[in-house]
């Protein structure tokens, strides 16, 4: 199955154990094409996201989509200049929110984790469909909440750029040098048996 790795991924990534290549093929590109994303694909990746697991099946995630020039311009006003530099080319931007309270009106301890799981499902389905994604934490959350009239019970988590991979030569020099699939720490640094390792 590892024969299905994208060429740029095969040169940069190697898993320690056998896994489906989709996990390695998903990486956060910054070079986006302006090619439109069909609604069938956009809503297909959102369909995948909404099947993510969540605490007590609360499904606290919400997505606000920006795909028209006017909608995207509104999003760009609260995205940091560093991220605007490259994400302005993406044909779709999405704001991922999570509901901070559960159906009983009590604080939800897992709302952010659950929303992150939905983002992971979205990213993998996008990869399966030949699309690229990049999640951004660099945006003004209060400005996003105000501009998009988000109720206080929802917390903005990330902005996601979605589209087809573009020409990396359109990027600034600093971003062009980062336009490669990155690696991961070895499992031995993040997985511990029995207890946390002691110094």
């Amino acid at each position: 199955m590892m024969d299905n790795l994208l060429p740029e991924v095969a040169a940069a990534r190697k898993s320690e154990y056998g896994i489906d290549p989709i996990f390695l093929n998903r990486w956060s590109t910054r070079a986006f094409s302006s090619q439109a994303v069909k609604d069938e694909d956009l809503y297909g990746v959102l369909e995948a996201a909404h099947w993510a697991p969540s605490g007590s099946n609360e499904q606290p995630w919400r997505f606000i989509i920006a795909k028209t020039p006017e909608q995207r311009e509104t999003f760009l006003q609260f995205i940091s200049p560093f991220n605007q530099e490259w994400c302005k080319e993406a044909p779709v931007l999405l704001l991922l929110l999570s509901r901070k309270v559960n159906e009983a009106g009590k604080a939800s301890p897992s709302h952010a984790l659950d929303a992150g799981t939905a983002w992971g499902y979205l990213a993998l389905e996008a990869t399966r469909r030949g699309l690229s994604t990049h999640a951004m934490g660099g945006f003004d959350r209060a400005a996003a909440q105000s501009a998009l009239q988000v109720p206080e019970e929802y917390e903005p988590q990330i902005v996601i750029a979605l589209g087809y991979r573009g020409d990396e030569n359109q990027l600034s020099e600093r971003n062009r040098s980062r336009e490669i699939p990155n690696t991961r720490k070895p499992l031995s640094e993040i997985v511990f048996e029995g207890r946390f390792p002691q110094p």
Side-chain angles (χ1 to χ4, degrees):
M1 289 180 73
M2 300 312 275
D3 294 341
N4 295 324
L5 289 179
L6 298 171
E8 68 270 23
V9 170
R13 292 180 160 183
K14 182 173 173 52
S15 63
E16 295 178 56
Y17 294 88
I19 57 174
D20 192 289
I22 196 168
F23 294 100
L24 281 74
N25 282 338
R26 187 227 58 84
W27 63 282
S28 300
T29 185
R30 289 178 177 81
F32 283 93
S33 160
S34 60
Q35 178 185 346
V37 174
K38 294 178 183 175
D39 276 354
E40 179 182 348
D41 288 320
L42 172 57
Y43 284 91
V45 301
L46 290 164
E47 175 74 22
H50 107 279
W51 285 102
S54 61
S56 300
N57 196 29
E58 291 274 344
Q59 304 167 50
W61 48 77
R62 303 292 185 272
F63 293 90
I64 299 177
I65 303 168
K67 60 180 184 175
T68 69
E70 296 78 19
Q71 292 166 346
R72 289 168 62 250
E73 187 55 41
T74 298
F75 270 53
L76 291 174
Q77 290 172 16
F78 55 74
I79 294 173
S80 71
F82 178 78
N83 287 326
Q84 283 181 34
E85 182 182 314
W86 56 265
C87 79
K88 65 183 182 213
E89 300 299 331
V92 180
L93 297 170
L94 305 101
L95 177 65
L96 172 58
L97 309 161
S98 60
R99 190 166 186 253
K100 298 183 285 185
V101 295
N102 61 24
E103 295 297 330
K106 297 180 180 178
S108 169
S110 65
H111 69 92
L113 171 68
D114 296 339
T117 305
W119 145 242
Y121 274 41
L122 182 153
L124 291 172
E125 178 61 17
T127 300
R128 193 187 72 79
R129 290 172 179 258
L131 292 161
S132 294
T133 55
H134 191 125
M136 296 168 266
F139 68 100
D140 185 324
R141 285 156 176 77
Q145 200 130 12
S146 174
L148 303 180
Q149 301 178 343
V150 176
E152 279 300 313
E153 67 196 66
Y154 291 93
E155 182 177 339
Q157 296 292 342
I158 53 172
V159 174
I160 303 162
L162 172 73
Y164 293 95
R165 188 147 179 233
D167 183 357
E168 64 184 47
N169 291 316
Q170 73 192 22
L171 298 171
S172 65
E173 185 176 345
R174 69 177 173 176
N175 281 324
R176 200 176 314 126
S177 66
R178 302 167 75 195
E179 189 65 0
I180 55 170
N182 51 25
T183 59
R184 291 294 184 271
K185 295 174 181 176
L187 281 180
S188 60
E189 288 188 25
I190 63 166
V191 178
F192 317 119
E193 289 193 22
R195 65 173 187 175
F196 201 86
Q198 304 303 299

